[in-house]
Amino acid sequence: MHNKQPHASQGHPHGMSKSFDYDENPFIVIWEVTRACELRCVHCRADAQVEPHPEELSPHEGMKLIDDIYEMNNPMLVFTGGDCMMREDLFDLAEYAVSKGMRVSMTPSATDNVTKERMKKAKQVGLSRWGFSLDGPTPEIHDHFRGTSGSFDLTLEKISYLKELGMPLQINTVISRYNYHALEEMAALVEELDVVMWYIFLLVPTGRGQMNACLTPTEHEKVFRWLYELNKTSNFDIKTTAAQHHRRVVIQQKAKENKISKDQINYSDSISDTASLVDGLKRAPKGVNDGNGFIFVSHKGDVMPSGLLPIKVGNVKDQPLKKIYRESPVLKELRNPDLYKGKCGVCEYRYVCGGSRSRTYAVTGDYLESEPFCVYVPKSLKKQAQ
């Protein structure tokens, strides 16, 4: 029986608030609490290191950052890394944030650092979700991707611990040339693991990620259409990152099924009207993109549009996060789709999609350029051609 889990936005302070303004506050904040990690993933954005960096935010600086984040309309907060488990005061930070009424989740690496005791502690502290990375349905695919033999089996072992504790599980998967051929098997495994969300990342060629590991534009489109159909029958929710054009595909498919013409679709910067068409996109009140409803804080306090768009726009040791987020010229540009270049700048979906700004930057060196992995031709360009 199809029984999809509740959306992540349920119970969140802003949920589907129509008044939420990404110019003022992000919907989600990712904090890289440490860059230390024992794995050697071939796609690693952070190019992680074995030991914690000496300039990591101190416990006091971490608490202050949490205070600053809370004051920005209490966005979602995700602890990541590296391997966030290698930060000694991780649970102190998590407990502090939860005590303020924040929704906190973490995405640790599946290593021996993840013990039953630490999982119990996470549950006691009140973490809303635990995310594990699983990048293939077999040890051969996953272990190659993670650069560590035995990682697949260890991940499944840790997931079994999590199930015993009754904690919600999120599976994170980077889709690339390494696992594109095994997505059906991967989806079956995710279903079997009884997860609440499958978090799909489309590879961005930055850090250790290489261009030749990326899918083609046509393959991206096939993945989005496949995910759309999968979302109809899966017992888990599906969320995508660095795949903004997935929103465009979902809107197109929903409109087609509901016999809604293109002229009837609302392409405005608030997705609330169009969202009634788009089951599965109701977590945020409108499309989230790098620096636009989304912000990243590094282990040293550097603020970037996202971990995949490594342009430093400030540091929380020098300025409050809200001042950086609201006043950075780079972030202001990223939040204005009318400044986008090429077909993204004239595309009718630019407010609800906008293309991955991080992938655009990685491929072209210009974060305002057109998404290089999108096959869609905007209506205005079609008219010009005719």
Side-chain angles (χ1 to χ4, degrees), residues 35 90 95 112 138 143 152 162 213 238 256 292 348 369:
R35 189 162 281 193
L90 177 67
E95 190 167 18
D112 290 330
T138 64
D143 290 0
F152 180 84
L162 206 63
I238 297 172
K256 183 178 179 181
N292 185 16
E348 61 273 22
E369 260 300 345

Side-chain angles (χ1 to χ4, degrees), residues 83-331:
D83 178 7
C84 54
M85 280 292 168
M86 294 187 71
R87 175 148 181 146
E88 292 183 0
D89 63 339
L90 177 67
F91 291 113
D92 294 333
L93 294 169
E95 190 167 18
Y96 181 70
V98 171
S99 71
K100 295 174 73 72
M102 302 177 74
R103 278 191 89 234
V104 184
S105 60
M106 64 171 65
T107 58
S109 303
T111 67
D112 290 330
N113 293 321
V114 179
T115 63
K116 279 187 178 180
E117 289 70 27
R118 286 185 170 181
M119 287 182 174
K120 286 180 182 177
K121 178 67 173 175
K123 186 175 183 180
Q124 290 167 359
V125 165
L127 261 68
S128 60
R129 180 175 302 163
W130 191 294
F132 275 126
S133 292
L134 197 59
D135 295 297
T138 64
E140 290 76 19
I141 297 174
H142 175 84
D143 290 0
H144 172 71
F145 202 65
R146 291 284 152 184
T148 306
S149 179
S151 177
F152 180 84
D153 292 334
L154 189 61
T155 300
L156 294 187
E157 177 186 304
K158 304 304 181 184
I159 288 173
S160 69
Y161 294 167
L162 206 63
K163 282 187 173 182
E164 288 178 24
L165 293 171
M167 276 192 75
L169 169 65
Q170 171 181 310
I171 291 295
N172 304 327
T173 301
V174 178
I175 294 181
S176 69
R177 186 64 52 211
Y178 299 107
N179 57 10
Y180 175 65
H181 63 285
L183 293 182
E184 291 284 356
E185 295 89 340
M186 187 65 205
L189 177 58
V190 172
E191 189 82 57
E192 181 184 326
L193 292 174
D194 191 28
V195 308
V196 296
M197 181 181 287
W198 191 15
Y199 210 134
I200 302 290
F201 298 76
L202 271 294
L203 184 67
V204 173
T206 188
R208 293 180 195 153
Q210 299 298 310
M211 182 71 78
N212 60 10
C214 292
L215 304 185
T216 66
T218 300
E219 287 169 340
H220 274 76
E221 195 79 0
K222 288 181 179 178
V223 167
F224 297 149
R225 291 175 184 268
W226 174 75
L227 288 174
Y228 175 77
E229 294 301 325
L230 178 64
N231 193 46
K232 293 178 181 178
T233 59
S234 66
N235 287 326
F236 49 83
D237 205 352
I238 297 172
K239 171 77 169 62
T240 55
T241 286
Q244 280 74 11
H245 33 325
H246 176 230
R247 300 180 72 92
R248 184 257 306 161
V249 169
V250 172
I251 292 171
Q252 286 177 310
Q253 295 299 103
K254 272 289 183 182
K256 183 178 179 181
E257 289 176 2
N258 288 278
K259 295 182 171 56
I260 297 172
S261 71
K262 292 181 180 179
D263 294 333
Q264 292 176 288
I265 298 176
N266 183 350
Y267 301 104
S268 71
D269 62 349
S270 173
I271 196 175
S272 53
D273 294 331
T274 307
S276 62
L277 303 174
V278 190
D279 181 33
L281 293 183
K282 297 182 181 179
R283 274 167 228 91
K286 58 180 182 176
V288 171
N289 211 324
D290 307 273
N292 185 16
F294 188 107
I295 200 69
F296 176 89
V297 182
S298 83
H299 60 299
K300 296 190 293 183
D302 290 334
V303 179
M304 306 173 193
S306 77
L308 298 169
L309 208 175
I311 297 178
K312 179 180 174 180
V313 295
N315 189 290
V316 296
K317 295 179 182 178
D318 304 322
Q319 290 179 302
L321 181 62
K322 61 183 176 183
K323 182 176 177 63
I324 298 170
Y325 181 84
R326 294 169 184 171
E327 298 179 9
S328 161
V330 171
L331 298 181

Side-chain angles (χ1 to χ4, degrees), residues 341-348 370-371 374-378 381:
K341 302 174 184 177
K343 69 177 185 178
C344 277
V346 297
C347 183
E348 61 273 22
S370 188
E371 160 69 68
C374 177
V375 300
Y376 183 69
V377 179
L381 295 184

Side-chain angles (χ1 to χ4, degrees), residues 6-27:
H7 290 294
S9 61
Q10 292 181 0
H12 188 259
H14 358 113
M16 277 293 289
S17 168
K18 293 183 180 180
S19 62
F20 200 76
D21 183 0
Y22 288 172
D23 287 329
E24 289 292 309
N25 301 304
F27 185 79

